[in-house]
Amino acid sequence: MELDFFTPVNEDLLAETGNKLASSLRLHLADKAFPDLEGVKIAIFGVLEDRLDEDRSGEPFNFDGIRKEFYNLFAGNWHLRMADLGDIQKGESVEDTFFAVQSAVSECLKKGIIPVILGGSQDLLYAQYRAYDGVESMVNLVNIDSQFDLGDADKPISNKSYVGRIVVTKPYNLFNYSSLGYQTYFNSQDEIELMERLFFDAYRLGEVTGEIAVVEPVMRDANLVGIDLGAVSGGALGNYRLRSPNGFDGKEICALARYAGISDKVSSFGIFEYASDYNFPSAHMLIAQMMWYFIEGVNFRKNENTISAKKEFIRYQVPIDDEVLVFYKSPVSGRWWIEIPFISPANNKLKRHSLLPCTQGDYLDACNQIIPERWYKTKRKNEI
């Protein structure tokens, strides 16, 4: 780990934390050595970068308020070792900051550590994604956001156009992009149609809040997850002057964070768009609780993303049209998967049969001769 990237945690935040969460963290403090990461499963760090925020106020910000609330929570019945590495400061250029974030996340991935990133503008998600270069051949990105952030890939990258940059920039590692909680009036029809043409997943805010469990299979298939705080309602954050009155409430955004944590595949997690506008206690507490729920999810993973676990799955075959859909059910968790067939000699991005997380409802629909939409989209992406 490149130690020069990180500035220490403010030691004043440890006052009165007692036997709460702070006591179970390996902390990067000014008067102590950088924490030993041997055996650490989760590493928290902040990134104080916002220069590509199209609505940047220019006001300075830090994560002390969030850390104070997080340190003062009680840990659950957890068995994982955790660390707080401190903050990555702004580099001489935004590219320098991106390099530092990419390097830090990449090093964590190689060590089997899940980074939890607190960030300024969400263009940092691009650096988080690029950390998978050479680590994963194909990557699934889930973004909890009111906007798609596709933007114009021919223009300079910003916090509203980084996804477009991900799509068009080599190496082409992105297999699927899923947007959860988008609000139609914040997205042009051109972008909505582009999401369809690329066979990406898009779930409207009302669709997710109506039945939040609909996104569990999406999270289960994700490698990295990002949350834009703009996806949370101003009321839930305790400030109705924030950008939008609509969005996820506190309970819903914490449930989504827990789904991300409990996914066996999610290997990095970021909360972005923090700025001085969020510098008040209720926002700090909600963000701290989002982190708490993600960590709790990690602690309750089933480790079903392994070859040995899959051997125990129950197999079901469903003839439909000219296809035979193959479903699998875990006898341990009761969760479902559907097989994506290997296509040869086509340019098959997955290179092998792959299992796509799904719901029991998808299996029942198939039994009624209805092809699951996510299976169709994934199969089409695999053929392109």
Side-chain angles (χ1 to χ4, degrees), residues 130-350:
R130 286 266 75 104
Y132 286 80
D133 293 352
V135 178
E136 293 280 354
S137 57
M138 299 304 295
V139 176
N140 293 330
L141 165 62
V142 170
N143 187 21
I144 300 169
D145 202 335
S146 61
Q147 301 180 72
F148 297 137
D149 294 336
L150 290 169
D152 186 341
D154 294 327
K155 294 181 179 179
I157 189 173
S158 76
N159 66 328
K160 296 180 182 177
S161 67
Y162 58 91
V163 176
R165 182 64 59 89
I166 287 173
V167 172
V168 303
T169 304
K170 294 181 180 180
Y172 303 127
N173 298 338
L174 184 67
F175 184 73
N176 192 40
Y177 172 60
S178 300
S179 177
L180 307 183
Y182 83 93
Q183 297 175 43
T184 308
Y185 37 73
F186 289 146
N187 298 274
S188 70
Q189 286 302 308
D190 288 342
E191 284 191 311
I192 294 172
E193 291 170 6
L194 179 58
M195 290 286 288
E196 283 291 323
R197 290 199 301 274
L198 294 172
F199 301 106
F200 289 158
D201 297 321
Y203 293 80
R204 292 180 65 173
L205 175 65
E207 187 177 0
V208 179
T209 57
E211 186 182 356
I212 202 161
V214 72
V215 303
E216 186 276 330
V218 180
M219 287 293 196
R220 202 177 346 138
D221 202 36
N223 298 103
L224 67 157
V225 175
I227 297 179
D228 183 330
L229 288 173
V232 184
S233 72
L237 289 161
N239 188 344
Y240 287 94
R241 294 177 297 171
L242 291 173
R243 183 177 172 205
S244 178
N246 284 317
F248 293 110
D249 63 25
K251 180 176 68 174
E252 291 160 348
I253 199 66
C254 286
L256 292 174
R258 192 177 190 278
Y259 276 139
I262 210 167
S263 166
D264 292 325
K265 289 181 65 175
V266 170
S267 52
S268 68
F269 177 72
I271 300 172
F272 300 102
E273 292 296 313
Y274 182 82
S276 58
D277 292 344
Y278 295 92
N279 186 26
F280 44 91
S282 56
H284 295 158
M285 177 58 83
L286 180 54
I287 297 168
Q289 291 179 4
M290 290 159 62
M291 295 165 61
W292 190 98
Y293 273 103
F294 174 78
I295 294 168
E296 174 163 272
V298 174
N299 273 271
F300 286 99
R301 289 184 174 186
K302 301 293 186 182
N303 294 317
E304 290 181 322
N305 194 40
T306 63
I307 294 174
S308 59
K310 290 174 182 175
K311 288 180 179 178
E312 305 300 322
F313 288 179
I314 304 167
R315 190 170 185 264
Y316 300 85
Q317 290 183 294
V318 182
I320 179 170
D321 294 336
D322 297 328
E323 302 275 358
V324 177
L325 303 190
V326 182
F327 289 85
Y328 293 86
K329 180 182 179 181
S330 165
V332 176
S333 67
R335 296 188 295 189
W336 288 78
W337 287 260
I338 184 172
E339 186 175 88
I340 305 299
F342 178 79
I343 300 168
S344 182
N347 179 25
N348 182 7
K349 294 179 181 178
L350 297 179

